[in-house]
Amino acid sequence: MTGEQVADMLYTMAMSHVGENNTLYRIFYYDCEPLGKKVHNPLTKRAVDFSKTPEYKFRKELLDALRKKRKVALRTGTLKDNNNWHLRPAKVKELLSGKISVEDLAEDDVYLEIRQKGIDMKIGVDISSLALKRFVDTIVLFAGDSDFVPAAKLARREGVDFILDPMKANVEPQLFEHIDGIRCSTPPKKRKNKKQSPV
């Protein structure tokens, strides 16, 4: 799928929670601009330009498409890297077991560690602000981890109905006590049409 197609799908998923009897305040989307720096692979010493990768193009297209959507607010953090490269876990196991040696490692066996910074804080601040200022009576959060729990607890104490959309991911049992319900809006996968036998 293209970035624009994913933006359309995300927007449709969010709007499906609003329905006909509610009014949308705003859709907040949290992400970071993709990494566009140039680095050198520690194994091959070959230059890698992240701004030329398909992932970079896709994420730029996605963010640009979301910026054009009505009622969508982008909240962007930053990507941080300390030029730390790591071996992929599968290769670490093979090295430790003696199946391969360092000389057998290929360029794709290492990856640059990249971390998002500031996203969780922005989510927490926005949820708290919406709840305390009484801007909304329902918040739907699309998430797959438990980082939202402190903000969810505050919102619920302020009387906000807090719904989690885990996008078909497994929800940890202990999270149920911190939300008011779960509703998944992820569209089902399209089934391939079976060929009909001739009559």
Side-chain angles (χ1 to χ4, degrees), residues 171-177:
V171 179
E172 298 176 12
Q174 63 267 30
L175 296 184
F176 284 96
E177 64 179 295

Side-chain angles (χ1 to χ4, degrees), residues 113-172:
E113 182 186 33
I114 303 170
R115 295 182 181 274
Q116 288 186 336
K117 297 291 184 180
I119 295 296
D120 292 341
M121 179 65 72
K122 289 177 184 289
I123 294 174
V125 168
D126 283 338
I127 290 175
S128 301
S129 178
L130 292 172
L132 293 172
K133 293 181 179 180
R134 311 288 183 184
F135 285 158
V136 299
D137 54 26
T138 302
I139 291 176
V140 180
L141 180 68
F142 291 78
D145 55 41
S146 58
D147 293 340
F148 66 88
V149 167
K153 291 170 73 172
L154 183 147
R156 294 180 76 211
R157 286 197 298 269
E158 295 298 318
V160 173
D161 190 25
F162 199 95
I163 308 298
L164 175 67
D165 188 328
M167 298 177 289
K168 295 185 177 181
N170 292 327
V171 179
E172 298 176 12

Side-chain angles (χ1 to χ4, degrees), residues 5-24:
Q5 289 172 326
V6 172
D8 288 341
M9 183 183 70
L10 293 174
Y11 191 80
T12 300
M13 289 168 58
M15 293 302 294
S16 71
H17 283 279
V18 179
E20 298 179 356
N21 300 320
N22 300 301
T23 302
L24 173 68

